[in-house]
Amino acid sequence: MNDVMRDAMRDVAKKAGARAELVSALLALTVYLTGLTLQLTGNAGSASQALFVAAYVFGGFFTLREAVATLREGRFQVDFLMLVAAAGAAAIGRWEEGAVLLVLFSLGHALEEYAMGRARRSIEALGALAPRTALVRRGGAEAVEVPVEELAVGDTVLVRPHTRVPADGFVAAGSSSVDQSPITGESVPADKTPVADRAAALADPAATDPGSRLYAGTVNGSGSLDVVVTRLAADNTLARMVRMVQDAEERTSPTQRFTDRFQKVFVPGVLVLVAALLGFGALSGEPFTDTFYRAMAVLVAASPCALAIATPAAVLSAVGRAARGGVLVKGGAPLEEFGRLSTLAFDKTGTLTEGRPRLTEALAADGAGREELLRTALATQRLSDHPLAQAVVRDAPALLAGTPAAPAAATPEAVGLRAVIGRGVTAELDGETVHIGSLSYADTLAGPPVPPALRERTEELARTGRTTMLVRRGERWLGTLGLMDAPRPEAAETVAALRALGVTRTVMLSGDDQRVADAVAREVGMDEALGGLMPQDKVTEVARLRRTARTAMIGDGVNDAPAMAGATVGVAMGAAGSAVALETADIALMSDDLRRLPFITGLSRRASRIIRQNLWLSLGIVAVLVPATALGLGIGPAVLVHEGSTLVVVANALRLLRHRDPVSGA
């Protein structure tokens, strides 16, 4: 609670400071306009001069405070140049010129802070999603309302219909649809049902089925849910997201590092230029006041205000927009780099595919029926806990539903399962021995060999990337089953969308057999597929790709962490359920939806374009204003153009907050 109070007080102080700066700028504008009116109406004198001095005070207070702070750090920044110019104008009696300089600069700075605050508020709004209190049930008592900070792991909270979920956890009772878009960016509410084993889910929350997992800040639908808490409030997914997005503001991009280095050289260079102009004026015999005024005008024109804000404004806006779309970007560096990528490397299992095998084919042998094949396999595999057996048990009923007369028949019961490790299984069914296994296992069995036609069809399935299982009952071959870790439904659409956005090369890296990798790659439209890779081989392949182009590695953020670390940018999928993925990735897709990739690709490319636009505009303004002021343009017009360009740069960056999500349309 103390941390929460400190953060709240810090936010209040920051907002109060921003308001005070705006009020001070408006007061400076008011007294300046009043003094200017007196001067224009012929009432110039001590009154108008006093008002211009007041404009100096109101307009220069915050600028002076910031300049002193940066000078103590050994840095020259724009604020210092503006103060020198204003002081120079006052020294030669041009109080109204110095006043307009400080008024416009303070107004521009205050409006910049307001605009940047808007971008920051889009990030801070994430933190406001989580409820402050929760209804908790302890020891069988009635639900009582407590602050979310008092929730403990293992507590059961009641989530009423149409309210926000107060903590990360899993559903213990009830069912509902939950809007997870604030965390994962998914446009469709996800159905939630209770876990089968509460103790197991509490012991290993990361292994909980996504259909039972909940995140703080998401919105419950029409059902009531009992949710078991798995993370403390300070460590839930939403809290980590907010912290990491806020930390991202401190991680500078390559362009920002360039502008920082540029300013360290440029600002002292401007001071040298001003000194040179003063010296040239003295040698040429020009009146000192004219020379000094021109030098101060050049000082204003050369101040890189827009350059200083060009990149941070764009990065902050893009990071905030990405977070609202279910993508965590850890700073300007990965944002800019991702916007320039031409090559994407994908892990296969769990990234391009669903991460679990599916029964996709059931081909009956000549003289056998498809229904008998499926029911025999189903009865036998029910006794096994092997992942391929579980896939048969899960998917065979759906294939049976399309078999004539299938619903009328009952699936028999098998007994006496025996496993032949790595090859197959055998069991007894209605007095007959059933064998299920690979082609190599089938060739070792006594009795009739695999029929040539069935062998050919099995080998064809294998060539298309299927894992095959032949089924024999007694002395009869019933057929072959084909299983495959099927591509995600959105995989092909995602690859096509990435290509349309300018990605020129897509590569799939897989530990599976090359034939399996080739089959998946063809189905989703990848350019290349590399199979049979160990984790260290993936690191080597990513390094090879990086030698020719900037390369991102997209994986689960855990098993692929070494390859992701070696890529230009590492992207983790499904990071909402994985603390490791959130920590290791440069960019984290909070959901398992591949369609987040085109969203962040489009956003990062647009951010890169806007950063370049802002950079060229900022440098262009300086390049035009410096010679213009050297040739006689006054301080007033110079600062007006200067501050106007700064506001244009910020407004251009804020357009990123309205970047459209191609999936949801929002």
Side-chain angles (χ1 to χ4, degrees):
M1 286 292 288
N2 291 336
D3 290 341
V4 174
M5 289 291 291
R6 275 197 299 271
D7 290 343
M9 291 175 66
R10 193 180 297 115
D11 289 343
V12 169
K14 190 184 294 183
K15 290 173 183 174
R19 283 197 297 269
E21 186 171 1
L22 181 59
V23 169
S24 182
L26 291 173
L27 285 172
L29 177 63
T30 301
V31 295
Y32 168 74
L33 290 176
T34 304
L36 184 63
T37 301
L38 289 175
Q39 193 176 61
L40 293 175
T41 55
N43 296 313
S46 58
S48 62
Q49 177 130 345
L51 289 170
F52 291 144
V53 171
Y56 264 72
V57 173
F58 290 125
F61 176 77
F62 286 96
T63 304
L64 177 63
R65 191 173 68 174
E66 194 163 332
V68 169
T70 55
L71 282 173
R72 283 176 177 169
E73 297 172 4
R75 294 184 292 122
F76 287 102
Q77 285 195 336
V78 175
D79 311 79
F80 177 75
L81 297 183
M82 290 297 180
L83 286 171
V84 170
I92 59 174
R94 306 288 286 268
W95 288 91
E96 68 280 7
E97 296 278 4
V100 73
L101 164 61
L102 290 176
V103 166
L104 291 175
F105 183 73
S106 62
L107 269 176
H109 197 270
L111 290 173
E112 287 168 31
E113 285 298 313
Y114 171 79
M116 292 292 284
R118 180 181 167 192
R120 290 190 183 97
R121 284 192 294 275
S122 73
I123 295 172
E124 293 167 358
L126 289 171
L129 292 175
R132 300 296 183 191
T133 61
L135 293 172
V136 62
R137 289 178 173 148
R138 290 172 178 154
E142 288 293 318
V144 294
E145 189 171 10
V146 300
V148 292
E149 291 80 13
E150 295 181 11
L151 292 176
V153 173
D155 278 345
T156 300
V157 297
L158 171 64
V159 183
R160 289 174 172 158
H162 308 297
T163 60
R164 290 193 181 273
V165 177
D168 281 12
F170 59 82
V171 179
S175 59
S176 185
S177 293
V178 176
D179 178 5
Q180 299 187 147
S181 58
I183 303 296
T184 66
E186 296 169 275
S187 57
V188 178
D191 293 334
K192 301 294 178 180
T193 55
V195 295
D197 187 334
R198 173 171 171 161
L202 191 57
D204 188 8
T208 304
D209 186 272
S212 301
R213 192 183 299 161
L214 290 172
Y215 306 112
T218 55
V219 183
N220 186 23
S222 58
S224 182
L225 299 173
D226 280 1
V227 178
V228 176
V229 177
T230 56
R231 285 191 182 128
L232 300 178
D235 194 42
N236 64 38
T237 301
L238 181 62
R240 293 202 310 273
M241 275 184 66
V242 172
R243 283 197 301 271
M244 289 179 178
V245 171
Q246 289 171 339
D247 290 345
E249 188 180 346
E250 306 301 322
R251 297 177 61 181
T252 56
S253 69
T255 304
Q256 182 61 37
R257 289 195 292 271
F258 161 74
T259 56
D260 289 344
R261 290 195 302 269
F262 178 78
Q263 287 186 80
K264 286 179 182 178
V265 176
F266 182 72
V267 173
V270 170
L271 295 176
V272 172
L273 174 63
V274 168
L277 286 172
L278 290 172
F280 179 77
L283 293 174
S284 67
E286 183 183 40
F288 176 74
T289 54
D290 292 346
T291 301
F292 193 81
Y293 180 80
R294 181 183 293 108
M296 294 304 100
V298 169
L299 191 64
V300 171
S303 301
C305 300
L307 183 65
I309 200 70
T311 303
V315 168
L316 188 61
S317 298
V319 168
R321 176 64 187 97
R324 286 193 288 114
V327 180
L328 175 62
V329 182
K330 295 184 180 177
L335 177 75
E336 276 200 61
E337 291 289 2
F338 202 73
R340 300 169 181 169
L341 290 171
S342 60
T343 300
L344 297 183
F346 292 82
D347 175 51
K348 181 186 78 70
T349 305
T351 302
L352 287 172
T353 66
E354 295 175 343
R356 60 177 186 173
R358 285 174 47 198
L359 178 61
T360 55
E361 284 88 15
L363 305 178
D366 294 339
R370 189 166 183 261
E371 179 188 352
E372 184 184 11
L373 167 65
L374 287 167
R375 291 198 184 281
T376 300
L378 180 58
T380 304
Q381 299 288 36
R382 275 177 177 164
L383 304 177
S384 174
D385 60 0
H386 191 280
L388 293 178
Q390 292 174 351
V392 172
V393 173
R394 183 188 64 244
D395 299 335
L399 296 182
L400 276 168
T403 303
T411 301
E413 296 291 332
V415 295
L417 182 79
R418 298 184 304 279
V420 182
I421 302 301
R423 307 188 76 180
V425 296
T426 180
E428 298 299 318
L429 181 65
D430 293 339
E432 293 182 293
T433 300
V434 175
H435 298 279
I436 302 178
S438 63
L439 185 58
S440 61
Y441 170 63
D443 287 338
T444 67
L445 298 176
V450 178
L454 182 59
R455 178 183 293 274
E456 184 178 341
R457 298 173 81 182
T458 302
E459 291 174 343
E460 177 60 28
L461 283 178
R463 282 193 292 272
T464 60
R466 270 59 172 176
T467 299
T468 58
M469 293 192 294
L470 287 147
V471 180
R472 192 176 99 176
R473 181 171 180 173
E475 299 298 305
R476 294 186 308 123
W477 289 99
L478 301 183
T480 187
L481 304 177
L483 296 96
M484 186 179 186
D485 181 11
R488 294 176 182 271
E490 72 274 15
E493 170 194 344
T494 297
V495 172
L498 290 170
R499 207 177 301 281
L501 287 167
V503 174
T504 58
R505 188 181 185 189
T506 54
V507 182
M508 188 177 74
L509 307 179
S510 175
D512 283 340
D513 181 81
Q514 185 65 49
R515 292 181 301 179
V516 175
D518 288 338
V520 173
R522 280 194 301 270
E523 193 164 343
V524 301
M526 304 293 289
D527 294 319
E528 300 175 46
L530 301 173
L533 301 178
M534 298 296 288
Q536 61 269 26
D537 298 326
K538 293 182 181 180
V539 175
T540 302
E541 289 301 329
V542 168
R544 179 182 64 83
L545 292 170
R546 280 197 69 181
R547 284 195 289 269
T548 57
R550 289 185 175 93
T551 302
M553 175 67 192
I554 297 100
D556 60 13
V558 182
N559 299 326
D560 303 308
M564 287 167 54
T568 309
V569 180
V571 183
M573 283 189 58
S578 170
V580 177
L582 273 175
E583 296 294 340
T584 58
D586 298 309
I587 296 176
L589 312 184
M590 303 306 290
S591 71
D592 274 329
D593 188 354
L594 269 174
R595 292 174 297 179
R596 297 293 86 206
L597 269 178
F599 163 68
I600 188 57
T601 302
L603 176 62
S604 59
R605 275 165 158 64
R606 188 179 182 193
S608 293
R609 287 196 301 271
I610 284 178
I611 288 171
R612 288 195 297 271
Q613 291 166 5
N614 286 351
L615 196 62
W616 285 113
L617 176 63
S618 307
L619 293 173
I621 290 293
V622 171
V624 170
L625 279 183
V626 168
T629 48
L631 294 173
L633 184 69
I635 288 178
V639 75
L640 187 63
V641 173
H642 206 283
E643 293 307 310
S645 68
T646 303
L647 295 179
V648 168
V649 160
V650 173
N652 192 32
L654 289 179
R655 292 191 300 129
L656 290 167
L657 290 173
R658 300 192 300 274
H659 180 75
R660 184 176 175 274
D661 185 343
V663 176
S664 66

